[in-house]
Every structure is written in C-alpha cells, then in structure tokens.
Amino acid sequence: MNIFEVYYKKSLKKIPKFFPRIRSHTDRVLFLEDGTIKLNFSSCDYLGLSNNSKMKKAAIEAIKEYGTNISGPMVFCGYTKYHEMLENELARIYGVDEGIIYTTSYQANIGVIPVIAKEVDLIVMDKLSHVSLYNAVAISKKPFRVYPHNNLEFLEKIIKNNKDKTILIISDGVFSADGDFCDIKTLSKLKELYGNIYLYIDDAHGVGALGENGLGLAEKENCINSIDILVGTMSKAYGSTGGFCIVRDPILAKKIKLNSSTYNASRAVSPGVAAASYMSLKINEVEGRNRRNKLDSIVKYAHDMLDSLGINKLYSKSYIIPIVFNSPEKAIEANNYLIEKGILSSLFIPPYVEKNKTRIRITISYNHLKKDIKKLCEELRMLKIKGFL
C-alpha cells in the first residue's frame, strides 16, 4: 500500500485508484500495463496533437542536432535556435516584442508574479484560481485579497476601496476544475474604468483550444489587447510541453526576462521539446481552426448528452466537465467503477476541492468520437441508477 492509499484509507475509508500504468501514446484510448484498454477522458490533449507525426519528426531532428539537454540556463549557454524560434513565434502571433518560455506554466507563474509584484501595491485574485497562482503570490509577499469566484461586483468594491493603489488582478481564463470561464470582458472594462490595474490571466486551458487563431479566451472574447500578462502552456491543446508568458509592455517584458528566477536559474525545455512546440504553432496556423471546430462539435454533443441525464456539471460549457458528487466516498466508488468499465477520468477529492463538490472531471478532446461519449453516458446512467449521482 503506497502513501496515497494509506492517507485516503485513514481519512475517507475508501481507496481511490491513481497512477494507471500507461503503455501507449496519448489518444482517445490508452493501453495499460495489465493489457486492458481504457477510454481516455482524463487527458488535456484538446487538439489531439500529442502524437502528431510532424511534431515527433521535429523533436527527433532537434535531438540529433543538439542532444537531449541544453546543459545550462538559456541566459548562459542553452539558447538554441529552437528556443529562439519558439519565443519569436509566440511574440509574433500575440503581437508583442517578447515571447518568454518556461519549463512549465506552473514555473511561469512562480517566476513571473514575484517580478510583477514589485510594480504593484496589492494583489487580488479569483478564489478558484490555480494552486500555482496561490504559491506565486505567497512567494511575492505582497498584500493579497481573494474575491468569490467570478463575483466581479465584490472585486469592484475592493478596487474602489483601494483607488490609491496599483492593483494586480489575477484569474484563470478557463478554470481547470470547474470548466467555466472567467468574465474576461468585465475584467477588461474594470481595468479601463479604473486605470490602476494590471490584468494577469493564466489561460493554460484556453490557449490553442479557444479563439479564432487559438490565442485563448481573451481572443475569443475580443479583448486580448486588454490583458497585460498572459500565461499559457504548450502542454495541453498544443500537445507538447512547457509554459510561456506574453507581456504587452515591452519594458515589463524585459524586466521579467532578466529577473524571473525560473527563467534564468532553471533549465528550459529540451531542444526536442522546443522544436515540437514550435512545430505545433505552425500546425495550428494551418489546421487549428478545423480542429477547434471539431472539438466544439463533440463538446456540444457531450454536454447535450449529460444534460439529458440530469447530471450536475456545475456551470461548465467547455471541454472540461465536472461530474459532481455529494461525498468523496461516492466519487471514489464511482471512479473505480468507471475504471472497471474501461473509462479513465480525473478524480478530484478533498483537499483539492470542497467535500460536497467532490467530482470526477471529464475532459473532451479532438480525437473523441460520439460512440465514446455514448459509452461514458451509459455508465454514468448506471451510476445514477445505483444512487451515486
């Protein structure tokens, strides 16, 4: 029994199944070490690019040329042509001077927020923002307030009470556990109205999957130029690995590039990963719109099917769909049942979510078929009959 099993057996009396031993590439189905095949509803490979042949070829060629490791920070000896190409391409598509790449978007948040915090007096953040944002704010040691999820009337009261301060407002774009969007239009209006605001959006789950050109939620809502700092990832819709930061103000971008510890005191992604990421951006230019359209279609089908079952999926309208249970024990049993029936999903239990909002998170990708959704809904219907939902 591993440490996770010991913890959950003591606290919840039920043991969730984690760490499936995968023996295949990421796709709508996964092959496990025990020989079973599972439908994959736990992946964030939203555009279905993680096994793309062009990206794999680009990675292999870069490894042949540069090896598997850059051996030192980019600032000293690790800035290969692939890292430069990737940063330049990110800058080009977002229309800024600098694209700044990180090993992960978690590292981007940890590295960027403490630098920006020196420019502000107060940080205010949506309560349901990602844990990496909370950790980054803690490192910054700045005065900090939280507003209830998407309650921008509450946020505006905080702004009005701090008119003499420069405020950094932080929010996820697409919320990773709930599947809903931040009210980015209203956030942009508040910034325009009060003028003492930096707007920081972590859109790790939005970039690639949303917007006419895949630039994320801000592009989808036609307010991308209002976002001062955008953090994204290559690890989800783009099918590669690594985070990135886009900064509107070129002077602030330079400060981040020179002073961000996780940029200059850490290795970047390998040359192979940088090359694959660059290729994914080029693929997006040609295929992205069609892939997003297909994703939208299968997501709508999934929501319609789940709605017909009367499933509690909170306020999700996206490819991230929480299936909510009223107790962790029921969610664990339901998750284990789904695994037995050939379905992998993501189990969110305390302390990661509130006890009465324990959930199984379903994620939909470009590769899913309608028959996959039907199979999922068939098993959820059985769970409902059994009294779990």
Side-chain angles (χ1 to χ4, degrees):
M1 187 178 291
N2 64 40
I3 190 169
F4 294 96
E5 291 172 334
V6 171
Y7 169 77
Y8 289 117
K9 189 171 184 180
K10 284 181 178 178
S11 63
L12 296 172
K13 307 298 186 288
K14 298 286 181 182
I15 301 177
K17 294 180 180 178
F18 291 133
F19 299 102
R21 292 177 168 85
I22 307 302
R23 297 297 180 264
S24 65
H25 63 78
T26 296
D27 205 337
R28 50 176 283 275
V29 296
L30 295 174
F31 293 79
L32 272 58
E33 182 185 53
D34 62 7
T36 60
I37 301 172
K38 308 292 185 186
L39 273 176
N40 182 13
F41 284 102
S42 55
S43 164
C44 296
D45 185 26
Y46 301 128
L47 293 186
L49 289 173
S50 64
N51 195 45
N52 184 274
S53 59
K54 291 179 182 177
M55 289 171 61
K56 290 194 290 186
K57 182 179 178 181
I60 290 166
E61 291 303 315
I63 289 170
K64 285 180 179 178
E65 186 174 359
Y66 284 100
T68 58
N69 190 326
I70 61 173
S71 79
M74 289 189 295
V75 66
F76 296 132
C77 64
Y79 201 53
T80 74
K81 72 178 182 183
Y82 295 108
H83 296 86
E84 184 175 12
M85 288 163 57
L86 177 56
E87 288 198 330
N88 288 344
E89 184 65 11
L90 286 165
R92 185 191 70 80
I93 64 177
Y94 280 97
V96 296
D97 287 0
E98 303 271 5
I100 309 172
I101 61 172
Y102 288 84
T103 311
T104 65
S105 55
Y106 200 118
Q107 277 200 313
N109 286 328
I110 293 292
V112 173
I113 287 174
V115 178
I116 299 170
K118 294 176 182 178
E119 310 288 321
V120 304
D121 304 304
L122 174 68
I123 298 175
V124 188
M125 187 165 70
D126 188 293
K127 183 180 179 180
L128 296 188
S129 294
H130 193 265
V131 63
S132 63
L133 295 167
Y134 277 95
N135 290 344
V137 170
I139 291 170
S140 79
K141 295 184 168 60
K142 275 290 175 182
F144 171 55
R145 295 282 305 276
V146 171
Y147 61 92
H149 179 49
N150 265 343
N151 186 337
L152 300 196
E153 290 182 3
F154 192 100
L155 171 62
E156 189 169 14
K157 289 178 183 177
I158 296 175
I159 296 170
K160 286 179 177 179
N161 290 334
N162 292 276
K163 284 184 178 180
D164 59 330
K165 295 181 175 67
T166 302
I167 302 172
L168 175 64
I169 297 176
I170 299 175
S171 177
D172 284 19
V174 182
F175 288 89
S176 59
D178 290 49
D180 63 331
F181 306 143
C182 79
D183 186 353
I184 202 165
K185 281 187 174 180
T186 303
L187 286 174
S188 299
K189 289 175 182 176
L190 289 174
K191 179 191 171 196
E192 183 179 346
L193 180 62
Y194 290 98
N196 60 333
I197 291 170
Y198 284 97
L199 193 51
Y200 185 114
I201 300 296
D202 177 350
D203 204 23
H205 287 272
V207 295
L210 297 175
E212 185 73 10
N213 300 292
L215 301 184
L217 179 65
E219 183 187 39
K220 178 180 182 294
E221 298 297 335
N222 298 310
C223 57
I224 195 162
N225 290 328
S226 297
I227 312 305
D228 296 291
I229 304 98
L230 172 73
V231 166
T233 186
M234 305 305 298
S235 308
K236 295 180 172 64
Y238 285 122
S240 183
T241 299
F244 64 86
C245 178
I246 301 298
V247 185
R248 287 283 148 202
D249 180 351
I251 295 175
L252 183 56
K254 286 290 185 187
K255 285 183 181 179
I256 290 169
K257 207 161 189 177
L258 292 172
N259 295 288
S260 173
S261 60
T262 52
Y263 186 78
N264 286 321
S266 178
R267 302 298 181 269
V269 294
S270 71
V273 168
S277 293
Y278 173 79
M279 180 57 68
S280 71
L281 294 177
K282 304 312 288 184
I283 292 169
N284 176 62
E285 282 190 349
V286 179
E287 303 177 18
R289 197 165 300 169
N290 288 337
R291 285 178 179 267
R292 282 184 287 278
N293 286 341
K294 185 187 171 188
L295 174 63
D296 289 346
S297 176
I298 195 72
V299 166
K300 183 181 183 306
Y301 181 77
H303 277 285
D304 288 345
M305 290 286 285
L306 291 167
D307 287 342
S308 71
L309 289 174
I311 297 291
N312 177 7
K313 53 186 180 65
L314 299 178
Y315 12 75
S316 170
K317 297 293 182 185
S318 74
Y319 32 80
I320 298 169
I321 307 174
I323 310 297
V324 180
F325 296 78
N326 60 19
S327 77
E329 286 77 14
K330 283 187 176 182
I332 291 168
E333 286 195 47
N335 187 64
N336 291 349
Y337 169 84
L338 290 176
I339 292 172
E340 290 172 5
K341 296 297 181 179
I343 295 170
L344 289 181
S345 55
S346 302
L347 177 65
F348 283 53
I349 55 181
Y352 303 104
V353 292
E354 298 171 50
K355 187 175 181 180
N356 65 344
K357 290 185 179 178
T358 300
R359 70 204 57 184
I360 290 173
R361 187 185 73 177
I362 302 299
T363 46
I364 310 296
S365 81
Y366 167 88
N367 289 331
H368 279 123
L369 305 174
K370 285 187 176 180
K371 68 178 182 180
D372 304 332
I373 307 298
K374 288 178 180 177
K375 168 66 175 173
L376 169 67
C377 289
E378 177 186 327
E379 299 305 341
L380 290 174
R381 185 179 66 83
M382 290 304 300
L383 284 170
K384 196 163 187 181
I385 290 171
K386 292 172 182 285
F388 288 95
L389 285 166

